[in-house]
Amino acid sequence: MGYQWHFEVVVESLDVLLGGLAWTVALSLLSMAASLLLGLVVSFARLSPWRPLRGVATVYTDFLRGTPLLVQILWVYYSLPILTGVVFSPFVSAAIALTLNLSAFVSEVYRAGILSIARAQREAALALGMTTWQAMRRVILPQSIRRVLPPLGSIWVSLFKDTAIVSVIAVPELMYRGKVLSIETYRPLEIYTAVALIYFIVTYPQARGVDWLFERARVRG
Amino acid sequence: MTDGLERASGNDVLIEVRGLDKAFGDLQVLRGIDLDVKRGEVVVIIGPSGSGKSTFLRCLNRLEDPSAGTVRIGGVEITGHGVNLPQMRSRVGMVFQQFNLFPHMTALENVMEGPRTVLRLSRGDAERRARALLDKVGLSEKAGSKPANLSGGQQQRVAIARALAMNPDAMLFDEVTSALDPELVGEVLTVMRELADEGMTMVIVTHEMSFAQRVADWVVFLDDGVIVEEGRPERIFHRARQERTRQFLDQLHWDAELA
């Protein structure tokens, strides 16, 4: 093929792309942090002895895991304001949608981690006179953390790449800026290649880090 | 009972069980258990596997909820609703068959955990108490070890120290030597015997018959969810009145000469 590569386009717009990367990182960090907390609440609800609470939490996780993330993002950005009268910026809407979506997956990881700590550990804590909450905080959760760290790492790596989807509501992150630049410069091949490489360069070490977490967990049992 | 082997008299009943029933679904595990445990007394519960011994013990600190009947500890009813379970359990220590130490904590931290989290002792006070108890069970030098690096016998001694750290009124032992290699049983029984000699109120579920005979003030034979027979150890082990008790003891092939 006689295609003339013009990578100088990429060099010229690198600061714009890296500025987009900063938004991607910010959105990922914010959504992950929020979903780690929300997921904990949801997992406690799913483990609650109170049936109605458990039911609500189950519907919540099933629904968020059973609908496309793209639909959730568009719904939060375009539909939620009609319902509530409150309009959020694209960034905030994206963070809300990603947090809700992730919290469903994170809560499942937590739930599995908590359940994997044997009933015996809980009983030993209760027999000492601990409350259910103290047993959770002092005995169950510290042991669960080691088990949930690898799967949470996987979720993080997926999230980092999946944020590209929020370009549909014009959050000025890496993907959106790539899209705009490719139109402005008429150089989609160079620009999208550069965008892919930037995602890969940032994601790859993290993915390897997660592999290492899994390996360590496997060795230590 | 007129054989001169009467139970020590006195009305200082610490644990009083009346009409205790426990069912898991259709399975009736305990039926109409009545039992008194007096302060300072060592009560040993023996019986075949599946006879309800462990379930009975677990009803005493409400790890299982009885289906019917009452349990009183120090005169306070602990069955039914509205009982402050954590407070009650902090007065009753329990040691488990599988030790159940907290694997993310050292031996010292395991023993400090109750005093710190439940009793809200300062770190210094909790550590002093924990070190004294590790010393008592002969494990001072293992204070910094994680459970995974301790033998079964050592783990179980730490578990006993952990329960003692709450200064309980009574201790419950649920087949605490059954998961141990034979050569590690002795070190755990020695610690329990010392506790008994110090006057600790103990309820012990065990298959160690020679130990039961030496340490028990009162032996209860439980079979199929009912108390078949109870009495002083000399009488139960040598002059059981019930055929089922004699059959059970014969089957064990236990050797009285080892006692």
Side-chain angles (χ1 to χ4, degrees), chain A residues 5-140:
Chain A
W5 292 83
H6 285 283
F7 272 112
E8 64 273 15
V9 177
V10 172
V11 176
E12 284 159 16
S13 44
L14 198 59
D15 56 334
V16 176
L17 290 176
L18 292 181
L21 179 64
W23 281 92
T24 297
V25 170
L27 182 61
S28 301
L29 284 174
L30 182 65
S31 307
M32 190 73 198
S35 67
L36 288 178
L37 289 175
L38 183 58
L40 196 61
V41 174
V42 175
S43 68
F44 283 172
R46 286 211 62 182
L47 293 166
S48 164
W50 194 48
R51 196 183 292 258
L53 185 60
R54 220 162 54 217
V56 169
T58 306
V59 170
Y60 174 90
T61 51
D62 286 353
F63 186 77
L64 285 167
R65 293 193 304 166
T67 50
L69 176 59
L70 180 58
V71 174
Q72 293 166 15
I73 290 165
L74 294 176
W75 195 85
V76 168
Y77 186 58
Y78 292 112
S79 313
L80 194 59
I82 300 170
L83 212 58
T84 60
V86 185
V87 178
F88 294 116
S89 71
F91 180 81
V92 172
S93 299
I96 290 172
L98 285 171
T99 298
L100 292 177
N101 180 267
L102 284 176
S103 70
F105 292 91
V106 167
S107 72
E108 285 299 286
V109 171
Y110 283 151
R111 196 170 74 100
I114 288 168
L115 289 177
S116 72
I117 303 303
R119 192 180 80 153
Q121 283 288 305
R122 188 182 129 84
E123 289 187 344
L126 294 182
L128 277 179
M130 288 192 201
T131 62
T132 309
W133 171 240
Q134 285 171 333
M136 187 59 88
R137 189 171 53 84
R138 297 288 307 166
V139 176
I140 310 294

Side-chain angles (χ1 to χ4, degrees), chain B residues 40 42 190-200 202 214-215:
Chain B
V42 176
T190 302
V191 168
M192 290 169 68
R193 183 164 199 180
E194 283 166 10
L195 268 183
D197 291 343
E198 288 167 16
M200 174 60 77
M202 298 160 76
R214 271 178 296 156
V215 173

Side-chain angles (χ1 to χ4, degrees), chain A residues 119-121 123-132 134 137-140 142-143, chain B residues 58 61 86 89-90 92 94 96 100-105 113 117-118 120 162 166:
Chain A
R119 192 180 80 153
Q121 283 288 305
E123 289 187 344
L126 294 182
L128 277 179
M130 288 192 201
T131 62
T132 309
Q134 285 171 333
R137 189 171 53 84
R138 297 288 307 166
V139 176
I140 310 294
Q143 294 182 63
Chain B
R58 291 160 57 83
N61 69 350
R89 288 175 181 144
S90 73
V92 181
M94 187 168 214
F96 300 87
N100 302 0
L101 289 181
F102 306 133
H104 57 305
M105 301 180 190
E113 187 54 30
T117 302
V118 179
R120 305 259 172 227
R162 176 175 70 176
M166 299 298 291

Side-chain angles (χ1 to χ4, degrees), chain B residues 246-258:
Chain B
R246 284 195 294 271
Q247 273 177 0
F248 170 71
L249 292 171
D250 285 345
Q251 270 173 7
L252 283 176
H253 299 301
W254 67 285
D255 186 357
E257 298 309 309
L258 286 177

Side-chain angles (χ1 to χ4, degrees), chain B residues 123-142:
Chain B
R123 178 168 290 280
D125 287 346
E127 183 170 340
R128 263 189 298 282
R129 185 183 286 194
R131 287 198 185 279
L133 284 167
L134 283 178
D135 189 46
K136 181 188 177 79
V137 300
L139 289 172
S140 304
E141 77 284 6
K142 296 290 184 187

